[in-house]
Amino acid sequence: MATQDKNRATAAAILPLVGGAANVSSIAHCMTRLRLGLHDRSLVDDEALKAVPAVMGVVEDDTYQIVLGPGAVARVTPEFERLVAEAGASGPAAPSPAGSPSPDSPAASAKELADRGAAMKAARKAKNATPFKLFLRRIANIFVPLIPALIGCGIIAGLNGLLVNLGWLTSVTPALAAMAAGFMALIAVFVGFNTAKEFGGTPILGGAVAAIIVFPGVANIDAFGQKLSPGQGGVLGALGAAVLAVYVEKWCRRWVPEALDVLVTPTLTVLISGLVTIFGLMYVAGEISTAIGTFADWLLSHGGAGAGFVLGGLFLPLVMLGLHQALIPIHTTLIEQQGYTVLLPILAMAGAGQVGAAVAVYFRLPRNESIRRTIKSALPAGLLGVGEPLIYGVSLPLGRPFVTACVGGAFGGGFIGLFNQLGDKVGSTAIGPSGWALFPLLDGNRGLGTTIAIYAGGLLVGYLTGFLATYFFGFGKDLLAEFDVSREPAASPATATGAPEKEPAGV
């Protein structure tokens, strides 16, 4: 009960700071963030939100995103939804006055960094509002709701593999195998459902068309001179089939008389989309899926350290540009094909570089207590793979430390890539978690102990390289002079005796 009260208190603290219930147009959440659609962005008090103890940071994109961390966000969101529903017909709450801490307050320097980060996010949001990037966000909206099931089933699969290898609980392992594999066997149906929902169609029709892909009876059908296989085309085929179903359905809604709509529209939607899926999309998507798996294996077996270096180093810039969302269906395809994605552990090294860089900033700015407090509060989340507070609150606004963090990610990725080239694959059975939170989801081809050791080694390399690169190359003289100053308020003796107070170093 105490936990529920805590979650409701967090939701209650957030609601007035985003302009009240009347200002909220939509509510959703992903692995770490509460995502809100807002009518009027100007009613949000960013600084007061960041001061809420449970809030790790805020990110402004197509929605207003409040970083609460894994686990917490899934508990706070329902409470937030209840509060908005209870507010119902009430008028918009009076917006909280925008907080503007005194330049002499302990948070002044951290606030300056936050303001820079907010400006960068606003500029990035404007640049990211291109048709291609908006399309990628829609793709992400299809797959993100599936992540909790991928994680749960992935952990069960890892536990089952461990029990099988040890020869323990032999009567239970078949049941665990069914639990782990059941969702993946039907993931195409869920992708079809979410796709139709995202693109404005009837979700169940999208799921119905996508279900054709995993139906065992397709093994009796010839297409392009060969028998189809259940699951051929996977999530990419389901995505294409559901999008097609949406367009067929919308066409039917325009032309079919209302009296016949309830009978004709669903029938034609499933019939036309189903035939195209069976005699076209399954084969084409199957070839694309196979090519993705083959290319990923080839890239890491031949490119090795170089490929890992590039992937680990460029992942944070991809996130800044909004292009990382294109990787979600690729990860899912690899998990569906091989049981794990070899790309995610490499990309997770970007977070390791970020942690190392943040620690270096902590030591390079010994006089700036406000930034050091920000780092101390955000570091545990960073170790668990929640990097937004460190990115937007520390490294990105400072500039050069963001680049050196990418260097740390590059070396960590190169380390794991090297072992992939040597034949030791390191993969993740699910997407979403990163950092230390990825350990329970690790899988590979050389045994769990070896896989964990390689991933841990990559994290250490990322931490160490990010720290060293930032400590020695992340600060110029101007940046140090600007930020390595004390912002702590003090009632100095000079002030007490009436002597003029020394002006603090400004930013």
Side-chain angles (χ1 to χ4, degrees):
M1 188 67 180
T3 301
Q4 184 178 357
D5 291 342
K6 175 184 176 183
N7 295 328
R8 189 171 181 85
T10 299
I14 291 173
L15 183 57
L17 299 178
V18 295
N23 195 39
V24 179
S25 61
S26 65
I27 305 170
H29 74 87
C30 60
M31 286 297 298
T32 60
R33 307 178 188 180
L34 172 62
R35 297 170 178 257
L36 303 178
L38 301 174
H39 296 296
D40 186 352
R41 170 65 181 83
S42 66
L43 297 180
V44 179
D45 190 338
D46 296 296
E47 294 308 315
L49 266 175
K50 294 172 188 175
V52 173
V55 174
M56 299 178 178
V58 296
V59 178
E60 187 174 0
D61 206 336
D62 53 326
T63 55
Y64 190 80
Q65 302 168 16
I66 302 170
V67 184
L68 298 172
V73 68
R75 292 169 171 80
V76 172
T77 301
E79 298 295 337
F80 189 86
E81 289 172 335
R82 288 189 194 98
L83 290 175
V84 172
E86 290 168 5
S90 62
S96 303
S100 53
S102 163
D104 298 324
S105 70
S109 190
K111 179 183 181 299
E112 289 158 359
L113 280 187
D115 290 342
R116 291 188 184 188
M120 291 178 178
K121 282 183 281 184
R124 180 172 58 85
K125 180 183 177 183
K127 291 180 180 178
N128 286 352
T130 64
F132 176 66
K133 291 174 184 176
L134 291 175
F135 173 76
L136 290 182
R137 287 179 195 155
R138 302 187 83 171
I139 298 299
N141 291 340
I142 293 167
F143 287 92
V144 166
L146 305 180
I147 289 177
L150 284 168
I151 293 172
C153 295
I155 291 177
I156 293 173
L159 174 62
N160 185 61
L162 180 63
L163 292 175
V164 169
N165 290 335
L166 295 173
W168 294 353
L169 300 176
T170 54
S171 61
V172 176
T173 51
L176 293 177
M179 296 176 199
F183 174 73
M184 290 307 302
L186 297 174
I187 189 173
V189 179
F190 296 102
V191 169
F193 184 95
N194 287 348
T195 300
K197 181 179 179 181
E198 178 66 25
F199 282 84
T202 302
I204 198 64
L205 291 179
V209 174
I212 297 169
I213 293 173
V214 296
F215 178 59
V218 298
N220 301 319
I221 301 174
D222 287 311
F224 297 95
Q226 57 182 282
K227 294 281 188 181
L228 292 176
S229 301
Q232 184 174 340
V235 295
L236 297 183
L239 183 66
V243 170
L244 175 62
V246 169
Y247 282 101
V248 173
E249 181 188 359
K250 289 181 177 180
W251 181 87
C252 290
R253 301 286 184 202
R254 285 197 303 269
W255 296 102
V256 174
E258 288 185 8
L260 300 175
D261 182 73
V262 70
L263 298 175
V264 175
T265 297
T267 303
L268 288 179
T269 298
V270 175
L271 179 62
I272 296 172
S273 304
L275 288 173
V276 175
T277 298
I278 291 171
F279 293 104
L281 282 176
M282 285 185 68
Y283 176 81
V284 173
E287 293 298 306
I288 295 173
S289 298
T290 302
I292 288 173
T294 302
F295 177 73
D297 288 339
W298 177 88
L299 179 66
L300 294 179
S301 62
H302 291 78
F309 188 91
V310 172
L311 290 172
L314 291 182
F315 185 62
L316 285 181
L318 285 178
V319 172
M320 298 300 102
L321 295 172
L323 298 176
H324 65 297
Q325 294 161 339
L327 297 170
I328 296 177
I330 295 175
H331 287 312
T332 310
T333 298
L334 291 174
I335 293 171
E336 194 177 34
Q337 283 186 341
Q338 304 176 0
Y340 51 79
T341 168
V342 293
L343 298 179
L344 186 57
I346 291 176
L347 300 177
M349 295 302 106
Q354 190 68 231
V355 168
V359 175
V361 172
Y362 182 89
F363 285 106
R364 288 290 272 161
L365 301 178
R367 300 182 184 87
N368 196 318
E369 289 301 322
S370 61
I371 292 179
R372 286 162 66 93
R373 269 194 298 270
T374 299
I375 294 171
K376 283 192 289 186
S377 64
L379 202 57
L383 291 170
L384 292 173
V386 183
E388 290 95 336
L390 290 176
I391 294 172
Y392 294 115
V394 181
S395 65
L396 186 62
L398 286 172
R400 199 185 296 181
F402 179 78
V403 177
T404 53
C406 292
V407 173
F411 276 88
F415 180 88
I416 294 181
L418 175 62
F419 279 92
N420 271 274
Q421 188 173 13
L422 297 175
D424 297 310
K425 290 186 178 181
V426 177
S428 170
T429 57
I431 57 177
S434 183
W436 292 3
L438 198 62
F439 277 109
L441 297 168
L442 292 176
D443 197 3
N445 62 340
R446 299 290 188 185
L448 187 59
T450 301
T451 302
I452 289 176
I454 295 172
Y455 181 72
L459 287 177
L460 290 175
V461 170
Y463 294 152
L464 183 60
T465 308
F467 175 86
L468 293 175
T470 305
Y471 192 89
F472 291 106
F473 305 105
F475 287 87
K477 293 182 179 179
D478 292 342
L479 199 62
L480 281 175
E482 185 176 4
F483 283 99
D484 191 21
V485 292
S486 175
R487 295 292 185 177
E488 293 292 349
S492 64
T495 304
T497 57
E501 186 177 3
K502 186 178 179 180
E503 189 75 19
V507 176

